[in-house]
Amino acid sequence: MQQSERLVEFKKSVNNKFNVYNSLFLNLPYRNIENVGMLIPLMLDQCQKGLQSGKNPKEILEAFFQNFVNIEDEKDRIDFMFRIIQYVERQVVLYDSVEDAAFPKLHEHTSSLSIKDYFQLVDKNKSWDKIADQLSNFSARIVLTAHPTQFYTPAILDIIANLRSLILEDKIDEIDVALQQLGLTSLINAKKPTPLDEAKNIIYILRNVYYEAVGDLYAYIKSNVGAHNFENHNIMKLGFWPGGDRDGNPFVTADITNDVADELRVNLMKCYYNDLKVLQQKLTFKGLQGSITQLRNNLYTAMFNPKKTVGYEDIIGPLLDIREGLISKYHGLYLKDLDQLIDKVKIFKTHFATLDIRQDHSQHYLTVETILKKNGVISESLDELSQDELQDLLLHKNFKVSADDFDEGIVKDTLNNISQLKSIQQKNGEEGCNRYIISNSEDIFSILFVYGLFRWCGWNSEEITFDIIPLFETMIGMDGAEATMQHLFSLSEYKSHLKRRKDTQTIMLGFSDGTKDGGYLKANWSILKTKETLSSVCGKNDIKAIFFDGRGGPPARGGGKTHRFYAAQTKDVANNEIQLTIQGQTITSTYGTKEQFKYNCEQLLTAGLSNNIFGKENVISSEQRKLIEELSELSFEKYDALKHHENFMSYLENRSTLKYYTKANIGSRPGKRGNKAKLELSDLRAISFVGSWSQLKQNVPGYFGIGSALKTMKDQGRIDEVKTLFKEVPFFKALMLNSMMSLSKCYFELTSYMKEDTEYGDFWMILQAEYLLSKEMLLEISDMDILMEKEAVSRESIKIRENIVLPLLVIQQYALQKIGSSSKHKELYEKIVTRSLYGNINASRNSA
C-alpha cells in the first residue's frame, strides 16, 4: 500500500512538476540553446525507435540531421550536438531540484524506521536499560571524499537550492527566471580543479547544509529521547578526505593538507560567529553582553586570519559561563537557543570534520627504503632484510630524518606531511586530524611502516595520537587480514599504542578495488567473511573493532541502499560504530539537503542500533554459507575469465570513455596510478573503471558472473535452494537487489552496433549474454516480473533520468564512432565525448 501511495505522490510531485517546469526551457531567450528544447522530445523519440530497430547511433543522428533539422555541414552538426548536451545538462539539474523538493512528501509514505520510531520501539519493549550504553556510545561517521564524480560548482549548487525552494512554493515566474539564470551559468569547471578547490567545494556543503543539519539531527534525537539524559555528541561525526587523500593523487601535498585544515577551521568559526550574532540579538541582557561581544571578537579574528586560532576551551568556556548567568539571573530565557549552539560546539569543536590522511602502501615502502639506504642499513632494497630485522628497525631504531635531506618528491612530501601533523592537531584539536589510512594493505608492514615513519619524524611512541588504519581492498589483502592483525596485536609496542587509542582498531575494507579484482559477488562475500574473522580476532585480543566501509555511488563500488546493507550485517560482525565514505554525486544526491541528510543519517543510526536488538538476529547457517561460497566462486570464474580476455582492456581503451575521464575537468587526481605506458587493470582507478562501464550502459562490474553462477545452480536442479537463500538471508538478498539496480541501468541497445565490430563483436556478445542471463536468473530467484519490482519510485526515477540522457548518450556513441573513423574533426568529437560525461554522471547520481 505504501509503495502505491509513494508512486502516486511521485507522479504528482516529481513527474508532473518536472514536465511543467521543463516546458519553460522550450524558448529560453539566448543564442546557444534557442529552439533546441523543441527538438529534444523528437530526438528522444528517434533515438528510442532507432535503437530498438537495430540502427546504430551514426545512422540515427545522420537521419535526424537530414530529416528534421536539415543540417548538412559537419561543423554545424557538431555545434548542434554541443547545444543538445548543454540543454540536457540543465534538464538534469532541473530534475534533481524537483526530486529533492519532493523528498519530504515522498518520505511521508515510507515504512523506514526513524529515530522517533526507534525510541517508541524501545519504550514498547521496555528495553531502555538494554540499549542505554549502546545509545550513549554508538556513532556513525560519514566521511566526505574528493573522488571526482561531484563537480557542480558552488554557483550551480546555489541555483539548485533556490530552485528547490521555489518549486516547493510553486512560484512559476521566479522558477522561470531561475531557469534562465541556469541556462546562462556554466556547469563546467573552466580548468581542472586543484585539491584545494575540491576541498572548498565540499566545505561549502559542510557550511551551508551539514552544520545546521547535524545540529538539527542532534537536537531532534535529544528531544525524542524524552526523560533519558542524552549527551552523546559523537553520535554523528563527519570525516573529510579532500586535501588529505593522496592515494593516486600527486597534487595533494603537505602544504595542501595544511591549507585544507585551515579552511575547515576558519569556515567553522564563521558558522559559530553567525550563530552567536543571532543569539546576541536575543540575549540583550547587561550581564551577558560583554562576554558575548568578547567571544564574537575572538571568532571574528579567527575566521579571517588562519594564524589566529581560538581553542575549544576558549569557545565552550565562555558559552557555559553565559549559560550559567542566563539561568541564575535571567530566568533561562532563550536557553534552548543557547544550548543548541553549545551542542554544536561540542560536536564540531574546532575541526568541523576530521581530516583523514590516506596514502598507498607502496609510497611508504619507497620512503622507508630510501631512509634506510641513506642511513647505510641497506644498500639497495628492503629485500636485504629479514622480516624480523625490518620489524625491529621500525619499532625500536631511532633515526632522525628531515625532508630536506632527500631529493625524491614523494619521500620529501611524506616526511613533511607526517612532521606537520602535530601542528595541525594543535590548531584544529586532536580530532581535527587523527587517522592515517593505508591503501592496498596486504601485510603487517602496511601499518608498521607508518608507525615507524611517525617515530622517525619526531613523534615519541607514547605520543602518536593517530589511529593507523589498514585498508584491505584486494583479494590478497582480505585473505591475509586475520593473520596480519593477529601478528600486530601480538607486538607489545603496537598493543601499547592501541591502549593509548582506547583499545580500538579501525579497519577499512574497500569495495571498489575488491570488485574490480574479484567481481561483485566474490568481493562482497569476501568482505563480509573478512569482517567476521577480524571481529573475532579483535575480540580475542580485547580490542574493539570498528569497520570503515568504502562505499562509492553504484553497487559496483560498494554503493546501493546503505540502510539495507547495514541492516543485513550478521551478528558476528562487530557493531560498535558505522563508518562509511560518501562519494561523488552521493554527497549532494543522498545527503544534499537538510531533510535528506537527517533522513539518511537516521537510517544509518537505526540500522546500526537495531542490529541484534530487535527481531531475529542475522545468522547465515553453515549450509547457506556453503551455497554462497559456491555461487561466489562460480561468479568469480566467469568474471575472471572476462578480466583475462585478450580484448578486455583494449575494449575499455578503444570502445569506452575511459581515456576521456582524465581529460574532463572533473577532479584533480589522474585516472590511474603510476606512469606506465601500457594500461593495466591493477593501475586503473575504480572510478574511471566503473564509470566507463556506466557510460556504455553496460555496468559490467555490478553483476557480471552472477547470471552464470545462478544458471549453474539451476542446471544442477538446485534453484530452489537459491530462492530460499534469497528469502531467508538478508545479506544475499541485499546483494541481489543491488545487482538488479545495476541491471536496470543497462541499455545494450545503445551499443548493439558493436556486435558487427570485427575486433570486438564477439567480446560485446559475451557481455550482452551475461547481462540477459543475469536479468533472467535474478527475476527467477526473486519471483519478480520486472527488475526492482518492489521499488517502484526508484524504478520510475531511473526511467525518467535514463530518458533525459538518452540523446546525450547517442551523441556520445556517435562521436566515438566518428573518432574511430578518423574524422578531420577528431579533436571536436573528443571534446563532445568528454563533455557528455558530465550529464550522464549527474543523471545517474551513483554512476561512478
Side-chain angles (χ1 to χ4, degrees):
M1 182 62 185
Q2 281 179 321
Q3 173 162 271
S4 61
E5 289 174 348
R6 288 192 81 217
L7 191 56
V8 169
E9 185 61 51
F10 177 85
K11 288 181 177 176
K12 183 171 68 175
S13 298
V14 179
N15 200 357
N16 293 347
K17 283 195 175 185
F18 173 68
N19 288 334
V20 169
Y21 301 138
N22 191 36
S23 67
L24 297 175
F25 268 132
L26 294 179
N27 292 300
L28 289 178
Y30 28 84
R31 183 178 57 85
N32 282 340
I33 305 185
E34 60 187 351
N35 299 325
V36 170
M38 300 285 203
L39 295 168
I40 286 281
L42 184 58
M43 179 178 269
L44 172 62
D45 180 66
Q46 292 300 301
C47 289
Q48 289 173 328
K49 288 178 179 175
L51 292 172
Q52 290 296 332
S53 65
K55 292 182 179 177
N56 68 50
K58 188 168 179 283
E59 291 171 331
I60 292 168
L61 284 185
E62 288 184 350
F64 183 81
F65 289 136
Q66 289 174 2
N67 300 331
F68 296 100
V69 289
N70 194 27
I71 302 176
E72 293 293 337
D73 182 74
E74 187 173 11
K75 183 66 169 55
D76 290 341
R77 289 181 175 186
I78 290 171
D79 289 342
F80 178 82
M81 286 187 285
F82 270 117
R83 292 203 295 274
I84 294 286
I85 292 170
Q86 289 175 319
Y87 187 94
V88 169
E89 286 170 345
R90 284 157 179 80
Q91 279 187 304
V92 172
V93 172
L94 174 61
Y95 186 78
D96 284 348
S97 304
V98 172
E99 197 167 62
D100 290 347
F103 181 84
K105 285 187 177 180
L106 290 172
H107 177 42
E108 291 174 8
H109 303 286
T110 180
S111 58
S112 301
L113 195 67
S114 69
I115 286 288
K116 192 171 184 178
D117 296 331
Y118 176 78
F119 289 145
Q120 287 173 352
L121 268 175
V122 172
D123 276 331
K124 182 180 177 181
N125 287 273
K126 309 296 181 190
S127 52
W128 272 110
D129 291 340
K130 187 176 179 182
I131 69 148
D133 183 62
Q134 188 182 15
L135 187 65
S136 61
N137 291 293
F138 189 80
S139 69
R141 182 191 295 259
I142 291 175
V143 181
L144 309 168
T145 76
H147 290 356
T149 54
Q150 171 52 47
F151 41 78
Y152 280 145
T153 62
I156 294 299
L157 291 175
D158 278 336
I159 292 172
I160 291 174
N162 183 38
L163 276 171
R164 273 197 303 261
S165 300
L166 296 173
I167 288 165
L168 280 170
E169 299 177 45
D170 283 322
K171 294 187 174 180
I172 193 82
D173 292 336
E174 292 179 51
I175 291 170
D176 187 25
V177 174
L179 291 178
Q180 291 182 45
Q181 179 191 359
L182 174 63
L184 293 166
T185 303
S186 175
L187 275 71
I188 309 301
N189 294 312
K191 59 182 181 179
K192 195 176 277 288
T194 67
L196 185 58
D197 293 332
E198 290 175 329
K200 286 180 176 179
N201 281 349
I202 300 180
I203 289 171
Y204 170 93
I205 300 170
L206 275 179
R207 185 177 167 189
N208 289 282
V209 179
Y210 295 174
Y211 174 75
E212 290 294 340
V214 174
D216 287 354
L217 179 64
Y218 185 84
Y220 179 73
I221 295 172
K222 193 174 181 180
S223 64
N224 277 284
V225 171
H228 303 271
N229 193 31
F230 183 76
E231 281 290 319
N232 180 9
H233 291 93
N234 286 322
I235 196 161
M236 184 55 61
K237 295 184 283 192
L238 296 176
F240 202 80
W241 274 16
D245 179 12
R246 55 234 320 121
D247 174 22
N249 192 340
F251 307 113
V252 177
T253 63
D255 287 342
I256 288 288
T257 300
N258 188 64
D259 290 344
V260 171
D262 284 344
E263 282 288 328
L264 284 164
R265 187 186 64 259
V266 163
N267 276 275
L268 179 60
M269 295 303 117
K270 291 175 181 177
C271 292
Y272 288 160
Y273 179 86
N274 290 334
D275 273 3
L276 194 60
K277 182 179 177 182
V278 172
L279 195 59
Q280 189 172 25
Q281 294 170 351
K282 296 177 179 178
L283 305 184
T284 53
F285 318 125
K286 184 178 180 182
L288 304 181
Q289 282 286 306
S291 298
I292 296 175
T293 300
Q294 180 60 48
L295 180 55
R296 269 188 69 181
N297 289 340
N298 290 341
L299 292 171
Y300 187 83
T301 302
M303 69 193 222
F304 287 112
N305 187 349
K307 294 180 180 178
K308 301 288 185 181
T309 59
V310 180
Y312 171 68
E313 293 299 333
D314 297 327
I315 301 172
I316 200 68
L319 288 175
L320 292 175
D321 289 342
I322 292 166
R323 187 182 193 277
E324 188 177 321
L326 190 63
I327 294 171
S328 63
K329 297 178 182 177
Y330 302 103
H331 314 294
L333 193 61
Y334 295 119
L335 181 61
K336 183 179 179 181
D337 300 79
L338 176 60
D339 279 347
Q340 286 183 350
L341 175 56
I342 289 172
D343 282 334
K344 284 180 185 174
V345 174
K346 288 181 177 180
I347 293 166
F348 298 114
K349 297 185 173 64
T350 53
H351 62 277
F352 216 159
T354 300
L355 179 60
D356 287 349
I357 307 299
R358 185 170 79 126
Q359 181 57 287
D360 190 81
H361 169 60
S362 61
Q363 306 304 327
H364 300 136
Y365 187 104
L366 173 65
T367 303
V368 168
E369 188 173 66
T370 305
I371 290 170
L372 294 182
K373 279 168 64 176
K374 187 169 186 64
N375 283 273
V377 178
I378 57 175
S379 56
E380 290 297 331
S381 168
L382 289 181
D383 294 337
E384 298 163 30
L385 300 170
S386 69
Q387 179 171 309
D388 289 343
E389 288 172 329
L390 181 55
Q391 179 179 295
D392 183 63
L393 287 167
L394 295 164
L395 292 173
H396 304 122
K397 182 67 176 176
N398 290 317
F399 295 111
K400 287 188 177 179
V401 301
S402 170
D404 295 335
D405 295 335
F406 299 90
D407 297 324
E408 296 90 339
I410 188 64
V411 174
K412 289 175 74 75
D413 190 74
T414 299
L415 299 178
N416 269 328
N417 188 53
I418 293 174
S419 299
Q420 75 169 352
L421 295 177
K422 276 185 185 176
S423 65
I424 290 177
Q425 287 191 344
Q426 288 168 356
K427 291 186 294 183
N428 287 30
E430 188 205 303
E431 290 177 69
C433 187
N434 64 358
R435 291 153 45 100
Y436 201 116
I437 300 155
I438 307 104
S439 305
N440 282 306
S441 293
E442 293 187 347
D443 58 30
I444 61 167
F445 293 108
S446 303
I447 281 187
L448 292 185
F449 281 167
V450 174
Y451 182 84
L453 287 170
F454 266 86
R455 291 180 58 253
W456 299 345
C457 287
W459 294 70
N460 293 326
S461 298
E462 297 76 22
E463 297 173 357
I464 300 176
T465 49
F466 266 76
D467 296 327
I468 305 175
I469 303 172
L471 166 48
F472 299 113
E473 52 189 328
T474 63
M475 293 296 112
I476 293 173
M478 284 189 276
D479 288 344
E482 181 182 11
T484 295
M485 297 315 299
Q486 181 55 61
H487 188 136
L488 289 164
F489 295 153
S490 69
L491 300 175
S492 59
E493 294 86 355
Y494 190 69
K495 198 74 185 284
S496 297
H497 168 71
L498 288 180
K499 190 171 183 63
R500 292 186 290 272
R501 303 304 296 164
K502 300 180 181 177
D503 284 321
T504 299
Q505 176 68 59
T506 302
I507 301 168
M508 189 172 184
L509 295 166
F511 283 80
S512 298
D513 284 290
T515 304
K516 187 182 75 175
D517 190 25
Y520 182 67
L521 183 55
K522 184 177 176 67
N524 281 277
W525 178 233
S526 297
I527 286 167
L528 182 72
K529 290 189 297 180
T530 304
K531 279 186 174 182
E532 291 176 335
T533 55
L534 290 176
S535 297
S536 175
V537 77
C538 286
K540 288 175 186 173
N541 289 274
D542 297 319
I543 300 296
K544 184 167 81 170
I546 293 177
F547 293 110
F548 179 18
D549 296 308
R551 291 183 62 77
R557 289 185 48 239
K561 302 291 185 180
T562 301
H563 177 271
R564 189 158 64 199
F565 168 80
Y566 283 108
Q569 300 292 287
T570 66
K571 70 177 184 64
D572 295 320
V573 174
N575 184 37
N576 299 301
E577 184 172 321
I578 284 176
Q579 296 191 4
L580 72 158
T581 57
I582 299 295
Q583 307 182 0
Q585 312 96 307
T586 315
I587 292 174
T588 49
S589 67
T590 309
Y591 297 86
T593 67
K594 284 171 64 174
E595 294 82 8
Q596 289 171 320
F597 181 93
K598 185 174 145 186
Y599 171 78
N600 286 296
C601 286
E602 284 188 43
Q603 295 304 293
L604 279 182
L605 293 170
T606 56
L609 290 167
S610 300
N611 204 347
N612 303 343
I613 296 294
F614 302 118
K616 183 180 177 182
E617 290 182 334
N618 287 332
V619 179
I620 306 177
S621 70
S622 57
E623 292 82 6
Q624 291 168 334
R625 285 177 177 274
K626 186 180 177 184
L627 181 53
I628 297 174
E629 191 72 43
E630 283 186 73
L631 288 166
S632 167
E633 289 305 318
L634 287 167
S635 176
F636 174 67
E637 285 174 21
K638 183 71 175 178
Y639 175 75
D640 197 50
L642 181 76
K643 201 172 67 170
H644 289 96
H645 192 287
E646 60 180 355
N647 286 340
F648 184 77
M649 288 306 297
S650 64
Y651 178 80
L652 277 174
E653 275 195 282
N654 299 316
R655 292 295 182 269
S656 83
T657 58
L658 180 66
K659 67 183 75 170
Y660 298 97
Y661 266 81
T662 56
K663 296 181 180 182
N665 293 330
I666 297 174
S668 65
R669 67 172 55 187
K672 63 172 184 156
R673 297 178 175 95
N675 297 306
K676 295 176 188 172
K678 183 181 178 183
L679 185 64
E680 295 180 10
L681 184 61
S682 58
D683 295 327
L684 192 57
R685 297 209 65 88
I687 290 166
S688 47
F689 175 70
V690 174
S692 296
W693 290 114
S694 172
Q695 296 280 333
L696 283 167
K697 289 298 162 192
Q698 294 173 353
N699 292 330
V700 163
Y703 62 85
F704 198 90
I706 288 176
S708 291
L710 294 174
K711 182 65 164 59
T712 299
M713 288 292 155
K714 183 177 181 179
D715 291 344
Q716 293 175 2
R718 301 171 63 191
I719 196 67
D720 286 341
E721 292 179 46
V722 184
K723 287 185 175 184
T724 302
L725 193 69
F726 181 86
K727 289 175 184 173
E728 294 183 357
V729 179
F731 168 77
F732 182 73
K733 183 176 183 177
L735 291 187
M736 296 303 101
L737 291 176
N738 277 342
S739 267
M740 285 189 184
M741 184 191 298
S742 293
L743 289 164
S744 70
K745 293 184 179 182
C746 289
Y747 192 58
F748 271 79
E749 289 86 345
L750 178 70
T751 55
S752 63
Y753 69 92
M754 290 186 189
K755 65 187 173 187
E756 309 297 336
D757 192 303
T758 54
E759 187 173 358
Y760 297 108
D762 291 344
F763 184 79
W764 185 91
M765 294 292 285
I766 292 172
L767 302 180
Q768 189 205 30
E770 187 64 18
Y771 157 74
L772 293 172
L773 184 60
S774 297
K775 181 179 176 180
E776 176 191 342
M777 295 310 303
L778 282 170
L779 290 176
E780 182 169 346
I781 67 164
S782 63
D783 288 325
M784 293 182 189
D785 295 322
I786 57 172
L787 294 172
M788 300 180 70
E789 185 176 301
K790 306 289 175 62
E791 300 171 75
V793 168
S794 294
R795 194 176 67 243
E796 285 300 307
S797 177
I798 289 171
K799 181 181 176 183
I800 293 170
R801 290 177 177 278
E802 297 295 300
N803 280 338
I804 290 172
V805 296
L806 184 60
L808 182 151
L809 290 169
V810 171
I811 287 172
Q812 182 185 90
Q813 287 298 314
Y814 173 76
L816 287 169
Q817 284 182 284
K818 294 294 260 184
I819 292 166
S821 63
S822 302
S823 165
K824 66 178 180 179
H825 295 295
K826 180 182 177 183
E827 191 174 325
L828 287 174
Y829 284 118
E830 287 183 332
K831 285 183 179 179
I832 281 180
V833 174
T834 303
R835 181 61 183 270
S836 65
L837 295 175
Y838 296 86
N840 187 36
I841 291 173
N842 281 334
S844 296
R845 281 206 154 180
N846 69 350
S847 64

